Amino acid sequence: MVTRLHGRGAAGCGLESATIPVTVPGLSSPPEGIAVTDPHAKPPASDKPYPGPPPLRPEGARAGPYAGIESEDDPWIRLACAEAVASVRAGGGPFGAVVVQVDDASGTVIRHWVERNRVTESFDPTAHAEVCAVRAVARDLGVFHLDRIEAGTARLPQPGPTSHCVLYASTEPCPMCYGAIAWARIPVLVFAATRFDAAADGVDFQDADLHAAVARPYRERAGMVIRRADTPGSLEAFRLWAEGDAVRY
């Protein structure tokens, strides 16, 4: 089954707009009864609530870093995984992401965005699927934070006074993508494959060193030379920021 969605590439993440055919097993449209619109369409009314992230599985399904967060399948995560497959077939990296905007008052889905890894397409090493998705959503809505989107400040219409976003990633986000998701204050993250799956033989996306490095003192980090320069004036920008009235984020 095929559903056509709008991939909203942000600056540095490839095309500004594209129609992407995505094959989703068992999903010919968004989940039944849930209203979903194009990012630039007026949201329709719906009495079907967004069910929230997929329910947790019983404890012990998987040990290690995923203990306590293992969950059931979900149509939105399948959509992210289908986009990852479409990306590979188009010559890109094997990663996809979906962001769903949910109305806080009614719990209905207002709109969603679909993105893919665009590193090789755009010659941008930061153009991971999750980063591209966060950029596209923030740009389209005209906001910095995606945990509480207010109708009076967002560029696109929404039925209630506030909404929030949920991000679905085909694979566990790397440290850079996790940082982007956290800086955007997205309150819910759902991913499917793990970083260990991505590091398997023949796939070889090795970010174990990055995960380990952020926990080490700088002098113990491998892969680059790092220095902290004791430079006069390095705090001036912070002083101006603290004393000024620039938009906080």
Side-chain angles (χ1 to χ4, degrees), residues 157-243:
Q158 58 188 48
T162 61
S163 64
H164 69 278
C165 287
V166 178
L167 190 143
Y168 292 85
S170 63
T171 304
E172 179 180 358
C174 72
M176 177 186 72
C177 292
Y178 184 85
I181 295 165
W183 277 112
R185 299 186 185 177
I186 293 176
V188 181
L189 165 66
V190 181
F191 62 85
T194 72
R195 64 180 183 265
F196 304 105
D197 298 321
D201 289 345
V203 185
D204 298 324
F205 285 94
Q206 301 281 353
D207 61 4
D209 288 344
L210 288 176
H211 283 276
V214 295
R216 297 191 189 114
Y218 281 107
R219 67 180 181 277
E220 297 177 11
R221 299 184 188 184
M224 70 176 72
V225 175
I226 304 174
R227 298 287 187 269
R228 193 204 75 82
D230 188 7
T231 304
S234 63
L235 304 182
E236 179 63 12
F238 293 147
R239 184 188 68 78
L240 292 173
W241 173 270
E243 295 175 355

Side-chain angles (χ1 to χ4, degrees):
M1 301 181 189
V2 176
T3 179
R4 290 187 179 273
L5 303 168
H6 288 281
R8 304 288 305 164
C13 285
L15 302 177
E16 285 301 307
S17 180
T19 301
I20 304 168
V22 182
T23 301
V24 187
L27 182 64
S28 58
S29 62
E32 183 179 357
I34 293 180
V36 178
T37 70
D38 176 84
H40 296 292
K42 192 171 183 179
S46 173
D47 59 358
K48 299 293 184 180
Y50 169 68
L56 291 174
R57 286 179 177 170
E59 288 293 333
R62 191 193 294 244
Y66 310 107
I69 68 166
E70 286 287 316
S71 64
E72 302 296 335
D73 185 27
D74 177 282
W76 295 108
I77 194 66
R78 275 186 275 145
L79 186 56
C81 292
E83 182 66 11
V85 172
S87 179
V88 174
R89 288 175 174 165
F95 304 99
V98 173
V99 175
V100 176
Q101 185 185 3
V102 182
D103 179 62
D104 289 334
S106 64
T108 56
V109 173
I110 303 170
R111 55 181 63 87
H112 71 284
W113 292 256
V114 180
E115 261 298 351
R116 61 177 60 176
N117 183 286
R118 299 185 184 276
V119 170
T120 57
E121 170 188 320
S122 61
F123 298 97
D124 179 356
T126 70
H128 292 195
E130 300 94 323
V131 170
C132 288
V134 168
R135 289 173 178 172
V137 175
R139 182 201 61 216
D140 284 352
L141 293 176
V143 297
F144 307 118
H145 300 146
L146 302 176
D147 57 339
R148 181 181 171 83
I149 304 161
E150 298 183 355
T153 58
R155 289 175 179 167
L156 299 180
Q158 58 188 48
T162 61
S163 64
H164 69 278
C165 287
V166 178
L167 190 143
Y168 292 85
S170 63
T171 304
E172 179 180 358
C174 72
M176 177 186 72
C177 292
Y178 184 85
I181 295 165
W183 277 112
R185 299 186 185 177
I186 293 176
V188 181
L189 165 66
V190 181
F191 62 85
T194 72
R195 64 180 183 265
F196 304 105
D197 298 321
D201 289 345
V203 185
D204 298 324
F205 285 94
Q206 301 281 353
D207 61 4
D209 288 344
L210 288 176
H211 283 276
V214 295
R216 297 191 189 114
Y218 281 107
R219 67 180 181 277
E220 297 177 11
R221 299 184 188 184
M224 70 176 72
V225 175
I226 304 174
R227 298 287 187 269
R228 193 204 75 82
D230 188 7
T231 304
S234 63
L235 304 182
E236 179 63 12
F238 293 147
R239 184 188 68 78
L240 292 173
W241 173 270
E243 295 175 355
D245 57 357
V247 176
R248 266 36 182 180
Y249 61 91

